[in-house]
Amino acid sequence: MKHIKPYNESNTMDNIYIKSVEVTSDVFPLKSGVKVTFDKSICFIVGDNGVGKSTLLECIRDEFGYEDETYLRRQGMKKHIIIEKEGTFPFKYVDFHGDDRKFSGSFGKNLSLQIQQMKLSSGQVSISLLNDALGNIEKVRNGVVILDEPCRGQSIRNKMRLIGLISALESKLNCQVIVTTHSDTLLRAFKDRAQYFDISSNSDTTYKDFMINQLS
């Protein structure tokens, strides 16, 4: 996997194609009224376990017609949200919940990849997914990339590679990047650049305030 250098401030630009996402009806564990208005091209959806971070991303994914055999997909997530977006653009969703969904289609309908995934650890599955994302990176130029829990099971080395990937997506490929994570390494790397939205409080937060809240 090619190493990509971390971002530098002079190359940053705001590329916001999805303007906002609003939950209009309850979809467990999200409650009606949650709304994210994106104001930076990198946004971390943060919060404690079980507050609905991944569910929000699945709602967005459903809007773009992703085919997936998971339970939530079968329920038809798009009826629960309103997405304000600008024009048409490439869209890529990468789900790193491999260890949770070994039999639920993390690789869509690609049977060979699903069989391969069953033989791997959680960290190895995440690396495989990250390699796949890097291999197709040019296809999402001027588009939206969603990464759901990309640091699961990852070493510091791979977290640094991920930081480089996110930086390159934004600064070199003009992408909007939306990420959920519990990784302090990843969150801290973008603390002066990214938007943080705490699903628990339904509001923007700073890196410092979010970490203080998590530790209190």
Side-chain angles (χ1 to χ4, degrees):
M1 180 166 59
K2 184 179 179 181
H3 178 71
I4 302 173
K5 293 181 180 180
Y7 75 95
N8 74 63
E9 294 291 343
S10 63
N11 288 335
T12 58
M13 58 188 74
D14 287 337
N15 314 293
I16 304 173
Y17 309 103
I18 297 178
K19 303 296 183 182
S20 66
V21 178
E22 181 177 6
V23 180
T24 57
S25 56
D26 292 352
V27 50
F28 183 81
L30 288 172
K31 297 295 184 182
S32 175
V34 172
K35 183 175 182 179
V36 186
T37 299
F38 297 101
D39 56 30
K40 293 185 178 179
S41 50
I42 299 175
C43 180
F44 288 99
I45 307 295
V46 296
D48 211 345
N49 300 92
V51 296
K53 300 184 300 296
S54 293
T55 302
L56 184 74
L57 298 192
E58 288 174 327
C59 287
I60 299 172
R61 174 193 64 181
D62 191 80
E63 176 74 14
F64 288 88
Y66 258 55
E67 293 187 5
D68 195 291
E69 305 306 319
T70 64
Y71 171 79
L72 290 174
R73 175 70 179 103
R74 293 198 302 270
Q75 301 306 299
M77 303 293 284
K78 64 192 303 181
K79 67 184 180 182
H80 297 283
I81 65 165
I82 294 175
I83 294 182
E84 180 187 356
K85 54 189 176 182
E86 186 169 297
T88 58
F89 44 81
F91 178 86
K92 186 173 184 65
Y93 175 93
V94 189
D95 179 2
F96 291 86
H97 286 271
D99 197 45
D100 295 340
R101 300 175 183 175
K102 285 187 177 181
F103 306 98
S104 304
S106 292
F107 288 99
K109 296 182 178 180
N110 190 323
L111 182 59
S112 64
L113 283 176
Q114 288 188 52
I115 292 173
Q116 177 185 343
Q117 180 189 25
M118 293 175 193
K119 301 176 183 178
L120 302 177
S121 70
S122 176
Q124 289 172 321
V125 168
S126 294
I127 291 171
S128 177
L129 285 162
L130 186 56
N131 282 330
D132 179 66
L134 279 168
N136 296 284
I137 194 172
E138 276 291 334
K139 294 183 179 179
V140 293
R141 181 180 291 275
N142 301 318
V144 175
V145 177
I146 288 182
L147 304 175
D148 191 3
E149 297 284 4
C151 289
R152 287 169 62 93
Q154 292 300 328
S155 66
I156 293 295
R157 185 187 313 244
N158 282 322
K159 288 177 183 178
M160 295 306 296
R161 293 160 109 176
L162 182 63
I163 289 167
L165 169 62
I166 293 172
S167 302
L169 286 168
E170 186 228 19
S171 64
K172 296 180 180 180
L173 298 182
N174 303 332
C175 290
Q176 178 181 6
V177 189
I178 304 171
V179 186
T180 65
T181 186
H182 293 285
S183 169
D184 178 49
T185 302
L186 187 58
L187 294 176
R188 186 172 62 248
F190 294 95
K191 64 184 177 65
D192 297 320
R193 174 59 190 157
Q195 172 187 1
Y196 293 80
F197 186 90
D198 186 352
I199 286 290
S200 309
S201 61
N202 191 20
S203 63
D204 287 324
T205 188
T206 64
Y207 165 79
K208 180 179 178 181
D209 288 343
F210 173 69
M211 292 307 297
I212 289 173
N213 181 60
Q214 289 290 293
L215 295 170
S216 62

